Amino acid sequence: MASNIKQNKNDVDGWFTAVVTNGIIFLESSVSNLSKSPKSSLIDLYTAIELFFKARLMKEHWSLIISKPESAVKQKFESGDFRSVYLEQAYIRLKNICGENIEKEAMDNFKALGEHRNQIVHFAHTGFSGKETEVVIEHWVSWFHLHKLLTNNWADIFSSHLGLIDEIDVKVKLNHNFLKAKFDLIQDEIEIEKKRGSRIVSCTSCGLESAKVRKSHGWGEDIECLVCDVKDLKLKAIETSIPCLNCNKEVKYFMVKDHKCTECQIELASEYALEKYTEIYQEQDPEVRYGDGADPLAYCHKCHIEKQTVLNLEGMWVCVECEDRGWAALDCENCDSFVTGYVEAIRYFACHRCEDEVRKNYVDKWGNI
């Protein structure tokens, strides 16, 4: 940090709030400038992405935001006197230290946006001249991946800011007409793909019937949208319904927006859904995991909630809390927990509930090898 910049002293929580607030300001500016100053909009969006990555690091430990944490001095940090990490450094630390599993498609997109940003800031970028739709699509895809991180992976960390983030999401969606225009233009391309045998489904991002299925799994499909360029996993639909606790109408909980009853609009809590789906699970196969008095529910390795929220529906293990699905569920021999996750890791090492303790015991016994 330049020596002529004076910062007010702040504690870790204060700096976290300041960084998040700054990120939201850049997001707001990015959306506002999208039509009148597209290049400025991309710069602001990339800056916001970098700020949110730094804020996530700060939640793990304040020193991780510093470019050289081994030389970190907390007094200097509290005074804002330090050089912070770049996006690529932040990503590596989130992966190696925090165990964050950020999708490759998301990071590839953020890096590409960073390259656009560098061309604009450090030299010149002529690629977007007169191509407003392409700028909007670039913005749309980056926002899609950032919004997914903030509202899913990092929802607990940024919970107090999700209201403002949702307001920005609404503003981004106002640019949907640009995507619809491209959708109309590429109808011939879509038809050619269909004739080649490709399956075209609705996109998880723009909602248009323009996503090409790249690979199918038991739990969903890998898709690539021909309109907005988003690459994503489209989860398999779960049709099983439960009765609304208010009007008793059957509701397909996993398929309705905000889990609201389509009749009376009351929101069904995940706890209620879990109770009702457990009853259905028992009715479908009363012998499974009940013979020895065991609980039929598993702990989710994705959302790490300290209660069992995963059960078997339509042949898949599904978490009612985070809606992740398709994983194996098995007993961990170390802690006797019934969990989801990578089978080999659980069998030969540990599950997500006991891995820290198992690792510590290993280090205590054998040291760092």
Side-chain angles (χ1 to χ4, degrees):
M1 180 171 288
S3 58
N4 61 335
I5 296 177
K6 179 69 175 177
Q7 291 271 38
N8 293 327
K9 192 171 182 179
N10 228 329
D11 60 13
V12 175
D13 290 337
W15 277 119
F16 173 81
T17 301
V19 171
V20 175
T21 301
N22 203 22
I24 290 173
I25 290 171
F26 274 103
L27 284 179
E28 287 277 10
S29 175
S30 176
V31 177
S32 300
N33 285 325
L34 191 52
S35 58
K36 57 188 177 184
S37 182
K39 292 179 181 179
S40 296
S41 177
L42 292 188
I43 294 171
D44 288 344
L45 179 55
Y46 181 78
T47 303
I49 291 169
E50 201 167 68
L51 287 168
F52 278 109
F53 268 65
K54 291 177 182 180
R56 168 63 187 93
L57 272 177
M58 288 175 67
K59 272 298 180 182
E60 193 72 19
H61 195 273
W62 63 268
S63 65
L64 294 177
I65 198 177
I66 297 172
S67 59
K68 295 182 178 179
E70 67 275 11
S71 61
V73 178
K74 193 167 186 181
Q75 186 176 3
K76 285 189 174 183
F77 167 79
E78 291 173 341
S79 300
D81 183 14
F82 61 91
R83 291 189 180 277
S84 61
V85 294
Y86 296 110
L87 181 67
E88 181 70 17
Q89 292 174 299
Y91 164 66
I92 292 171
R93 291 180 188 182
L94 285 171
K95 179 181 178 181
N96 295 342
I97 299 174
C98 309
E100 288 282 0
N101 184 26
I102 300 173
E103 294 177 351
K104 181 180 182 300
E105 288 82 0
M107 283 310 303
D108 286 347
N109 175 262
F110 295 155
K111 291 174 185 177
L113 190 72
E115 291 173 5
H116 287 309
R117 178 258 181 201
N118 290 339
Q119 285 292 324
I120 295 168
V121 172
H122 298 300
F123 186 59
H125 197 317
T126 60
F128 286 137
S129 298
K131 299 177 181 177
E132 189 176 15
T133 299
E134 290 187 18
V135 178
V136 173
I137 290 172
E138 191 79 30
H139 189 283
W140 182 285
V141 180
S142 297
W143 170 247
F144 169 78
H145 289 300
L146 177 61
H147 184 260
K148 195 173 180 180
L149 272 175
L150 296 176
T151 59
N152 288 284
N153 305 50
W154 300 342
D156 291 342
I157 293 167
F158 298 106
S159 58
S160 60
H161 304 276
L162 291 183
L164 288 172
I165 290 167
D166 284 342
E167 289 178 16
I168 294 170
D169 188 47
V170 171
K171 294 177 182 178
V172 172
K173 295 297 190 287
L174 293 176
N175 293 291
H176 193 269
N177 286 338
F178 285 97
L179 302 179
K180 183 62 169 64
K182 182 177 178 181
F183 176 72
D184 293 338
L185 286 172
I186 66 165
Q187 281 305 300
D188 289 345
E189 182 183 339
I190 291 175
E191 288 304 314
I192 290 172
E193 287 290 346
K194 288 180 178 178
K195 288 177 181 178
R196 287 174 176 168
S198 299
R199 286 187 59 236
I200 304 296
V201 297
S202 62
C203 175
T204 54
S205 172
C206 66
L208 298 168
E209 291 287 328
S210 53
K212 178 181 176 181
V213 176
R214 298 160 63 201
K215 189 175 182 180
S216 294
H217 311 278
W219 57 88
E221 298 167 323
D222 294 329
I223 62 169
E224 181 175 3
C225 184
L226 301 176
V227 170
C228 71
D229 297 331
V230 159
K231 295 177 183 178
D232 194 25
L233 171 65
K234 186 181 177 76
L235 292 172
K236 182 180 178 181
I238 297 176
E239 301 276 351
T240 307
S241 61
I242 56 175
C244 172
L245 79 168
N246 183 53
C247 69
N248 213 39
K249 178 182 173 63
E250 289 294 312
V251 180
K252 294 180 179 179
Y253 177 83
F254 291 96
M255 299 180 66
V256 295
K257 187 177 180 181
D258 300 325
H259 304 311
K260 289 183 178 179
C261 174
T262 53
E263 185 70 26
C264 67
Q265 294 301 303
I266 191 171
E267 185 175 350
L268 305 183
S270 59
E271 293 82 5
Y272 173 78
L274 184 63
E275 175 190 339
K276 290 302 175 184
Y277 278 119
T278 303
E279 291 175 4
I280 293 171
Y281 179 72
Q282 284 183 275
E283 291 171 3
Q284 288 176 343
D285 199 342
E287 299 302 320
V288 176
R289 295 193 60 79
Y290 279 91
D292 57 1
D295 198 312
L297 304 180
Y299 291 97
C300 179
H301 76 293
K302 279 290 186 179
C303 58
H304 285 213
I305 292 178
E306 279 302 307
K307 61 181 179 181
Q308 292 154 292
T309 56
V310 182
L311 73 168
N312 199 289
L313 283 171
E314 301 179 17
M316 292 185 297
W317 289 98
V318 183
C319 177
V320 176
E321 194 69 37
C322 71
E323 302 189 26
D324 194 45
R325 63 201 67 168
W327 296 91
L330 66 161
D331 293 300
C332 174
E333 294 183 5
N334 290 300
C335 64
D336 294 324
S337 296
F338 187 43
V339 296
T340 62
Y342 295 98
V343 174
E344 297 302 308
I346 296 170
R347 282 180 177 165
Y348 299 111
F349 180 60
C351 73
H352 72 277
R353 302 194 74 227
C354 63
E355 62 180 341
D356 289 343
E357 182 180 353
V358 171
R359 187 175 290 107
K360 181 180 181 301
N361 291 339
Y362 183 89
V363 172
D364 289 345
K365 183 175 181 180
W366 302 101
N368 289 311
I369 297 176

